[in-house]
Amino acid sequence: MSRTEGVPAAGDRRVRRTHAALRGALIRLAEDRELSQISVADVAGQAGVSRSTFYDHYRDVHELAEAACTGMIDELVDVMTALGGDPATGDPLGSLQTFFAALAEHASLYRSLLGPQGSARVIDHIRRRMAAAALQRSTGKSTATPDDPHNVPAAFVAGAIVGVAADWLQRDCAHTPSEMAKLTWPILSVCHFDAHPSAPRPRP
């Protein structure tokens, strides 16, 4: 979590402006170099703030990157339905393409955080948001009891999307976002979410 000791409440406009400036600076810097090559001084200089101001809000560049990525993922999921149905058209391919395009736009940053030495916090955040969205689309429920059987396919799909995205980023986005959507959707569409799943058919 970002540091808040000794600074105004998180809702304060100055804090929000500083957070936005620092996150924007990191995103710009990450377009040209890997996260491991970006220092606190780099980010502070790009954002036009002092290093002490940076440390008032974040422990290090990695924590800032986690905050930036989870924030962007939240914004992305908020304009998608689960499995990516486009709000205007209901087209799952369109939403999946939007998802992969958003990752590609900041590929270096996401590659660092979703890779082998990445952030468990960001990976878990994406997985949980995607699972909740999948559950919402399939059952209309924003939350479920721990023993709800729909949790299993929702978690399966969410984990699959994160895994595919991480692999794609590690391969330098070898396919376009449109191609990734077309390759991914047939696999995901097999996981039908039925509010009243039928009993398994007996073996002949």
Side-chain angles (χ1 to χ4, degrees):
M1 283 199 158
S2 58
R3 294 183 173 184
T4 56
E5 298 88 345
V7 298
D12 188 280
R13 289 182 181 178
R14 288 174 295 171
V15 173
R16 293 201 299 269
R17 282 198 299 266
T18 301
H19 285 179
L22 291 171
R23 295 178 188 185
L26 176 64
I27 289 169
R28 290 191 296 274
L29 290 167
E31 292 175 359
D32 302 317
R33 64 185 94 166
E34 294 296 321
L35 186 63
S36 60
Q37 300 173 331
I38 300 173
S39 68
V40 169
D42 292 332
V43 176
Q46 179 77 20
V49 302
S50 66
R51 290 182 63 182
S52 62
T53 296
F54 178 100
Y55 286 119
D56 281 340
H57 299 273
Y58 300 101
R59 285 191 294 267
D60 52 32
V61 171
H62 196 81
E63 184 181 65
L64 170 60
E66 289 181 337
C69 282
T70 53
M72 289 188 291
I73 286 295
D74 284 343
E75 292 175 4
L76 178 61
V77 172
D78 284 344
V79 298
M80 297 168 60
T81 56
L83 301 185
D86 185 287
T89 66
D91 174 22
L93 282 177
S95 171
L96 282 171
Q97 182 174 338
T98 298
F99 173 71
F100 286 111
L103 297 185
E105 184 178 1
H106 306 295
S108 178
L109 187 57
Y110 282 111
R111 186 181 301 115
S112 296
L113 292 178
L114 299 183
Q117 305 301 318
S119 167
R121 176 174 174 263
V122 170
I123 293 170
D124 185 64
H125 183 83
I126 297 174
R127 182 188 60 76
R128 290 164 70 93
R129 286 302 307 268
M130 289 292 183
L135 186 70
Q136 174 72 37
R137 174 167 177 148
S138 62
T139 68
K141 297 183 291 187
S142 57
T143 59
T145 59
D147 62 346
D148 191 319
H150 295 98
N151 289 328
V152 175
F156 183 88
V157 167
I161 292 175
V162 173
V164 168
D167 176 74
W168 176 62
L169 289 165
Q170 292 302 312
R171 291 186 291 104
D172 295 322
C173 304
H175 297 287
T176 67
S178 177
E179 290 170 339
M180 285 301 295
K182 291 175 182 176
L183 289 168
T184 305
W185 175 243
I187 302 171
L188 296 181
S189 64
V190 173
C191 302
H192 296 291
F193 295 109
D194 186 349
H196 302 286
S198 57
R201 294 180 181 179
R203 284 183 156 183

